[in-house]
C-alpha cells in the first residue's frame, strides 16, 4: 500500500530575512543612512551652538576680577558717568560721558595703544553695541590714547557719549575682547588677532554728573 504523504517533496525552509544592518534603501544600506543622518545632525548642532560645552562659554566676572585677554591683562575697576572730560572728551548738548575704568597691562614684548575694540558696552540706551569708544585716556597723566609699555599696568579709561545726562543707566553690561597670537597668512608676520570674548561683566554705574 502506498503511503500517503505531503506530495512526496520535502518541506522548504523559510527564506532567511536580511539583517537590519544589511537592508538597503535607494542602493545604500540602512547603516549608511543612519551614520549620514547622525553626522548631519552633529554638524547642524555645532553651527547653532548645540554642542557648545559649558567650559567654552564666556566667563562672567565681577568688577575687580583679573581677565586674561591674551595680549592684555585686564581688570575692569569701575564705570563712571561724568558731565565732561575737557579738554579730551566733550559730550553733545544735553548729554554726558560714560567711562569704563580699567587696569591694563600689555603681555607682549612690544608696547601698543589700548585697542578701541577691547571693551564693548551692551544694552546701554543711546550707545550702539558695535560702537567704539571716543577714545581712551591714561588717568595718571591724562594722555589721550596712550602708548602702554610691556609689563607696566596703567589705569586706562574707555569713554563713550551718552545722549541724555538726565537718563543715565544704573548699571552696564560690557564685554572684554580676547586676542590670540599667530602668523598672518598675508605677509607671514606674527600678529595679534581678535579671538573669542575673554569675559563679560555687569558693573554698577557711579553717577558723577551731578
Amino acid at each position: 500500500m502506498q503511503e500517503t504523504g505531503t506530495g512526496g517533496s520535502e518541506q522548504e525552509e523559510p527564506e532567511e530575512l536580511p539583517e537590519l544592518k544589511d537592508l538597503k534603501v535607494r542602493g545604500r544600506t540602512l547603516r549608511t543612512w543612519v551614520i549620514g543622518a547622525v553626522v548631519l545632525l552633529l554638524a547642524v548642532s555645532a553651527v547653532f551652538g548645540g554642542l557648545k560645552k559649558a567650559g567654552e562659554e564666556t566667563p562672567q566676572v565681577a568688577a575687580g576680577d583679573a581677565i586674561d585677554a591674551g595680549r592684555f591683562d585686564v581688570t575692569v575697576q569701575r564705570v563712571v558717568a561724568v558731565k565732561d572730560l575737557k579738554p579730551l572728551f566733550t559730550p553733545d548738548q544735553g548729554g554726558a560721558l560714560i567711562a569704563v575704568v580699567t587696569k591694563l597691562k600689555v603681555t607682549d614684548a612690544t608696547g601698543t595703544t589700548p585697542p578701541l575694540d577691547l571693551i564693548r558696552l551692551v544694552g546701554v540706551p543711546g550707545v550702539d553695541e558695535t560702537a567704539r569708544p571716543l577714545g581712551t585716556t591714561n588717568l595718571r597723566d591724562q594722555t589721550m590714547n596712550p602708548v602702554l609699555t610691556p609689563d607696566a599696568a596703567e589705569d586706562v579709561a574707555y569713554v563713550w557719549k551718552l545722549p541724555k545726562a538726565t537718563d543715565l543707566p544704573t548699571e552696564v553690561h560690557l564685554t572684554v575682547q580676547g586676542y590670540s597670537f599667530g602668523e598672518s597668512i598675508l605677509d607671514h608676520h606674527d600678529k595679534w588677532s581678535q579671538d573669542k570674548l575673554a569675559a563679560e561683566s555687569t558693573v554698577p554705574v557711579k553717577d558723577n554728573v551731578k
Side-chain angles (χ1 to χ4, degrees), residues 64-77 101-108 112 114-115 118-119 148-156 158 176-179 192 198-199:
D65 291 344
I67 301 166
D68 179 3
R71 193 177 189 181
F72 304 92
D73 287 335
V74 184
T75 301
V76 176
Q77 300 185 88
V101 181
T102 67
K103 179 77 73 176
L104 283 188
K105 183 172 73 173
V106 180
T107 62
D108 195 15
T112 185
L118 178 64
I119 306 293
L148 304 177
T149 57
D151 294 324
E154 296 281 2
D155 293 329
V156 176
Y158 281 72
V176 178
Q177 179 63 52
Y179 304 88
W192 287 94

Side-chain angles (χ1 to χ4, degrees), residues 27-95:
R28 296 184 180 182
T29 64
L30 186 60
R31 181 173 180 271
T32 302
W33 282 106
V34 170
I35 293 175
V38 171
V39 170
L40 179 61
L41 177 60
L42 292 177
V44 172
S45 297
V47 169
F48 290 98
L51 299 182
K52 190 174 184 180
K53 297 180 181 179
E56 296 175 347
E57 294 178 354
T58 303
Q60 306 290 318
V61 302
D65 291 344
I67 301 166
D68 179 3
R71 193 177 189 181
F72 304 92
D73 287 335
V74 184
T75 301
V76 176
Q77 300 185 88
R78 60 189 181 277
V79 178
V80 184
V82 295
K83 188 173 182 180
D84 64 61
L85 288 172
K86 294 178 180 179
L88 299 180
F89 306 106
T90 304
D92 295 332
Q93 184 68 30

